[in-house]
Structures are given as C-alpha cells and as structure tokens.
Amino acid sequence: MVVIVGSNIYSETWNLLYSLISGNITEPAIISPARTGSRWIVGAFPDVEGKDFAGYPIVVVENAEKSTMKEGFSTSGINTNEISVSVYAYSKAPRELNILSEDISDAVLSNRSVLALSGFTLTSMDNGIQGADLIGNSRIHFREQIIRGMV
C-alpha cells in the first residue's frame, strides 16, 4: 500500500480511488448482460465513435485536483492539502445510472479505513452535475460524484 504524500499527491490519490472503485463495483446488467474483460471504468472519457468503444455504462475517474484555498501550514511547511476527485457515471438507462452511483458511493464510504491508512482522510462526498445529453446519437444520462479529502 502506498501512502499519499506531497511528492505523489496527484498520482497516488487517483490510483487509490480508481483501485477502490474498480475493485468494489460490478457492472449492472440492466440493459444487456454484464461485460467481462472490457474496460468500463476508465481515467478519461473514451472515444465513443472509435472501434474499441465497448459501450455504456462507463465510469470515469478524473484526475485529482488540489485546493490551494485549504492548505494547512506549520513551521515545517504545508502539512495538509484538500484534494478532490470527480467520478462520473454514464449510462443509457436512468435506473442503471442510479445503481452505479449508489455502488460508487458505497465503495468509497464503506472503505474509509482503507483511505485513511493510505493518508487520505475522507471529508465529504457530494453530488455534482447530473443530467442527460446526446452523445454519439444516443441519449446518455450522467452523474458526477465529488470525493473530497485531506492528505
């Protein structure tokens, strides 16, 4: 297990949350049978018109962002940083989106001790933007969940 420190704050925060989410949720098989062996939890929104696109649902774990507004200082320098990671779920079916969102939330909230052991103290998990849009000639529902913590 890697501990998040100043020199790896972005990469290891992302790795920790990606591993936690991908290791604790399964693809809901509401629209079609669950895929095996395909990558549906990713680090960036895929090319939906490309030949390698496996279809929906997908979960995108965005890169970590550090807030410069909430840093703690001591005589030895910065000792805490607020960091946030947005996780987006995309699906063709609203019910499937709800299941994915609940699973992502459960994966994070039920593993607070794992996060803490890695140096990430979960401070909040909030909903961000949500809605539906036309992507590649399909109506796609989406929801953002923002995971915030101190490292």
Side-chain angles (χ1 to χ4, degrees):
M1 171 176 31
V2 175
V3 175
I4 300 168
V5 293
S7 62
N8 66 12
I9 193 169
Y10 296 105
S11 61
E12 289 307 323
T13 299
W14 186 88
N15 285 334
L16 174 66
L17 291 171
Y18 177 86
S19 297
L20 195 107
I21 291 167
S22 64
N24 286 287
I25 68 171
T26 57
E27 181 179 5
I30 292 174
I31 294 178
S32 59
R35 295 170 283 184
T36 57
S38 64
R39 247 181 99 191
W40 66 283
I41 301 175
V42 295
F45 194 82
D47 178 7
V48 297
E49 295 176 0
K51 63 180 175 133
D52 295 330
F53 181 59
Y56 293 95
I58 57 173
V59 173
V60 178
V61 181
E62 292 281 332
N63 285 323
E65 295 181 26
K66 184 178 80 139
S67 171
T68 56
M69 301 303 289
K70 294 191 177 177
E71 295 177 331
F73 293 92
S74 68
T75 55
S76 61
I78 298 171
N79 59 10
T80 59
N81 296 289
E82 182 182 65
I83 197 135
S84 63
V85 175
S86 290
V87 178
Y88 295 89
Y90 298 88
S91 177
K92 288 185 175 184
R95 181 172 170 231
E96 188 173 61
L97 178 67
N98 290 337
I99 291 169
L100 274 175
S101 298
E102 290 163 354
D103 289 349
I104 292 166
S105 181
D106 289 346
V108 173
L109 296 174
S110 65
N111 284 288
R112 286 177 185 260
S113 61
V114 172
L115 293 169
L117 287 172
S118 295
F120 185 95
T121 304
L122 183 67
T123 57
S124 69
M125 187 162 181
D126 303 307
N127 286 325
I129 60 171
Q130 61 184 9
D133 205 350
L134 287 175
I135 302 174
N137 293 326
S138 295
R139 183 176 177 89
I140 305 301
H141 304 271
F142 62 90
R143 179 175 292 126
E144 175 189 25
Q145 292 176 283
I146 306 166
I147 302 163
R148 290 186 180 89
M150 298 300 284
V151 295

